[in-house]
Amino acid sequence: MSDEPNLLGDYVRARRELVTPEQAGIPAVGLRRVPGLRREEVAMLAGISADYYLRLEQGRDRNPSVQVLESLARVLRLDDEATAHLLRLGAAKPRRQRRRPRRETVPPGIAQLVATLPLPAHVEGRYFDVLAANALATALSPRLVAGANRLRDLFLDPAEHALHPGWESATVGLVAGFRESVGTDTDDPRFIELVGELSLASPRFSQLWARHDVRTCAGASMRFDHPQVGVMQLQVERLGVSAAPGQVLVVHHPASGTDSGDKLALLACATRTPAAPRAGWTDAHRGG
């Protein structure tokens, strides 16, 4: 058996445990140790032998046909994104030599754009590290600063937890988006360190990670309970940075038909520093 991680087997096992017999349209017969489907039930519904499915889960067969993977996706009730992830896991890949991860650097033009935007904006890297942020983003959340990590803050920082009234929903989406962002590159030291730390420190993260949910982080409407201005409803847009694959520009803007725009303006006023005296301004002008 290969010593490489069994990504395909881990994924189908996790997903079958989330599908009940009722959802699959079969009777729940006998005592069941887990609420999900048994291996033989998945094999029967997918039209493959139980022995072959067992080999897939155990990692003894890692390159099933597309037809087999699509059948498993149907049985496991995977959506389009999850099916695409399953197909990637099952694709034949030559063993690659592990490379040292390159430092993620924000393109200068994007860094300038972030600094000048009149809305909260920041750039996230592949592992949801904050690579750049403007002052209004930091005013929205003090954790939105270069060097922070969105996963670590959302799961481990009580202040960030309190900022999100919909914390449970936010954690579901963030973990699923993280798994989609990383894909099959799970031997990266940065990935191993981050997942290991969060799995030990956060039962919530460990629970969600075990589900193997996959979802692209897309634009959404989010509520923020800010300690200074109160509850705001903001649209969160996520725009890929073409010059730096894996990086995303995240911009928050007020939802229409709400008072969130006024609250965001108040927050912006608090971030502005007093203007420096104009050239030629003397004590005489001040009446001194």
Side-chain angles (χ1 to χ4, degrees), residues 11-252:
Y11 186 63
V12 294
R13 180 173 62 253
R15 299 313 299 181
R16 75 172 169 85
E17 292 176 354
L18 298 175
V19 180
T20 66
E22 292 77 14
Q23 289 173 322
I26 60 175
V29 179
L31 182 65
R32 311 181 76 89
R33 291 180 296 174
V34 294
L37 295 175
R38 295 166 173 157
R39 292 190 183 94
E40 58 269 22
E41 292 170 337
V42 174
M44 175 191 70
L45 293 169
I48 59 179
S49 72
D51 179 67
Y52 180 58
Y53 178 77
L54 178 62
R55 294 204 306 273
L56 289 178
E57 272 205 8
Q58 293 180 340
R60 291 184 285 133
D61 191 317
R62 301 190 179 213
N63 302 122
S65 67
V66 171
Q67 291 79 6
V68 166
L69 293 173
E70 289 178 341
S71 294
L72 290 174
R74 172 181 51 80
V75 174
L76 300 176
R77 303 171 64 87
L78 303 183
D79 61 18
D80 290 345
E81 286 185 310
T83 298
H85 182 69
L86 177 65
L87 292 173
R88 287 194 296 269
L89 294 179
K93 299 179 289 294
R95 188 180 181 93
R96 298 178 301 174
Q97 184 177 3
R98 183 179 297 181
R99 295 175 296 178
R100 295 183 61 184
R102 292 184 297 177
R103 182 172 178 268
E104 293 183 295
T105 304
V106 179
I110 296 297
Q112 182 180 6
L113 174 63
V114 168
T116 57
L117 278 174
L119 295 166
H122 69 279
V123 177
E124 286 178 4
R126 190 180 186 199
Y127 300 110
F128 293 3
D129 295 310
V130 178
L131 305 178
N134 62 17
L136 192 48
T138 305
L140 178 63
S141 168
R143 276 70 58 189
L144 282 173
V145 290
N149 179 270
R150 298 303 296 145
L151 280 161
R152 185 181 289 115
D153 289 336
L154 192 61
F155 282 98
L156 303 183
D157 192 306
E160 190 69 17
H161 185 163
L163 184 64
H164 295 270
W167 181 81
E168 290 197 356
S169 176
T171 57
V172 170
L174 198 65
V175 171
F178 178 59
R179 190 179 284 279
E180 196 280 335
S181 177
V182 172
T184 59
D185 293 335
T186 57
D187 61 346
D188 187 284
R190 173 68 174 144
F191 166 83
I192 295 171
E193 174 194 18
L194 189 56
V195 171
E197 176 191 0
L198 290 168
S199 297
L200 290 174
S202 171
R204 173 68 174 170
F205 176 86
S206 183
Q207 173 194 28
L208 293 176
W209 190 248
R211 290 176 54 91
H212 286 249
D213 290 332
V214 178
R215 187 188 314 159
T216 300
C217 280
S221 179
M222 295 186 65
R223 293 177 72 229
F224 295 84
D225 189 1
H226 196 276
Q228 289 178 287
V229 298
V231 175
M232 292 185 290
Q233 192 77 25
L234 301 179
Q235 294 292 133
V236 183
E237 309 297 347
R238 300 177 60 85
L239 311 171
V241 178
S242 59
Q247 293 185 22
V248 177
L249 171 62
V250 185
V251 182
H252 300 72

